[in-house]
Amino acid sequence: MPLNKHTEAELIRRLLAGDQQAYRQAVASYQPSMLRLARAMLDWGSAEEVVQDTWVAVLRGLSGFEARASLKTWLLTIVRHTALSRLRRSGRELLIGDGWDDDVLAQPADRFDNRGHWQAPPQPWHEETPEALLAGEQLRGVLQQALEKLPPPQRSAVTLRDVEGLDMDALCAVLGVTQANARVLLHRGRSRLREAVASYQNGVAAEVP
């Protein structure tokens, strides 16, 4: 459950004081979100190791936390940096070909005006979209599989926005992208999820006698 500003500030104070109960509370509150982001970028085993490395970095650097963003946003930003460092150490440089930028570069130029703004903004994530259809277990599985097949940039953006509920400013801060890039990543990721849902629903309809 997300913590309000007062509760978060108190938690940070206790963490700085070396309160072990506060550390356990922080892990319980934030680790699931941290793990989801790490899994959006890495395999399961590596994601768990990245989260553990992140907690080590957090405890070492907490005294420098200036609360310009929420604690959750700060933690997720460290997760991303830690995951990227792990990828680079393994020899995987995240260049355009890895998908972090080609989503934006691949968009038709006429979707933007000469100032880089959307000509026609992506459709919002409303009740008719996959997020609202998660009640069905089969559909939940279809969406999970579709999410796992997204390129890491899209998967990370959708996870942060639609699963974790981060606002756009926080999402951009965590991923280190512009608002325009974030909108493209979300639009393309959500479109692929909608396609998976439509394919599933068409298949179900075809099975009805």
Side-chain angles (χ1 to χ4, degrees):
M1 179 180 297
L3 305 178
N4 60 45
K5 289 185 178 180
H6 175 76
T7 305
E8 184 177 278
E10 175 63 17
L11 178 63
I12 294 170
R13 184 193 66 76
R14 291 167 55 206
L15 286 169
L16 288 171
D19 186 331
Q20 290 300 308
Q21 181 59 36
Y23 176 73
R24 287 190 287 270
Q25 181 183 348
V27 171
S29 298
Y30 299 113
Q31 181 145 319
S33 299
M34 296 163 68
L35 190 55
R36 279 190 285 269
L37 176 58
R39 286 198 67 195
M41 301 176 68
L42 302 162
D43 61 84
W44 175 260
S46 298
E48 289 187 315
E49 292 176 5
V50 159
V51 170
Q52 296 306 314
D53 290 345
T54 296
W55 281 117
V56 172
V58 166
L59 293 176
R60 290 174 177 170
L62 188 61
S63 61
F65 177 57
E66 298 179 351
R68 295 178 180 175
S70 70
L71 181 59
K72 179 177 180 178
T73 298
W74 185 63
L75 291 171
L76 292 175
T77 302
I78 297 175
V79 169
R80 174 179 175 266
H81 286 307
T82 306
L84 291 178
S85 294
R86 187 182 184 90
L87 287 170
R88 293 187 181 105
R89 286 198 304 272
S90 67
R92 287 190 58 195
E93 290 289 341
L94 293 179
L95 304 176
I96 289 178
D98 294 298
W100 283 96
D101 297 309
D102 60 359
D103 283 288
V104 178
L105 298 176
Q107 296 297 307
D110 61 3
R111 289 195 178 184
F112 303 91
D113 61 24
N114 56 11
R115 294 174 299 170
H117 297 160
W118 286 97
Q119 298 276 21
Q123 293 300 306
W125 198 236
H126 285 317
E127 289 77 16
E128 303 80 29
T129 61
E131 185 184 42
L133 301 173
L134 285 173
E137 286 300 319
Q138 286 185 319
L139 185 54
R140 187 187 301 272
V142 168
L143 278 171
Q144 184 60 42
Q145 290 180 7
L147 183 63
E148 291 175 356
K149 291 178 181 178
L150 292 179
Q154 296 174 16
R155 188 164 64 242
S156 299
V158 172
T159 297
L160 291 173
R161 179 65 169 161
D162 297 323
V163 179
E164 298 303 324
L166 267 64
D167 62 28
M168 288 297 291
D169 288 339
L171 184 153
C172 292
V174 171
L175 295 185
V177 297
T178 66
Q179 289 259 349
N181 289 13
R183 291 191 186 98
V184 170
L185 292 174
L186 285 170
H187 175 61
R188 291 174 71 87
R190 289 166 170 174
S191 294
R192 294 191 186 193
L193 294 184
R194 291 189 182 97
E195 289 171 4
V197 170
S199 178
Y200 165 78
Q201 291 176 326
N202 290 338
V204 171
E207 292 176 3
V208 176

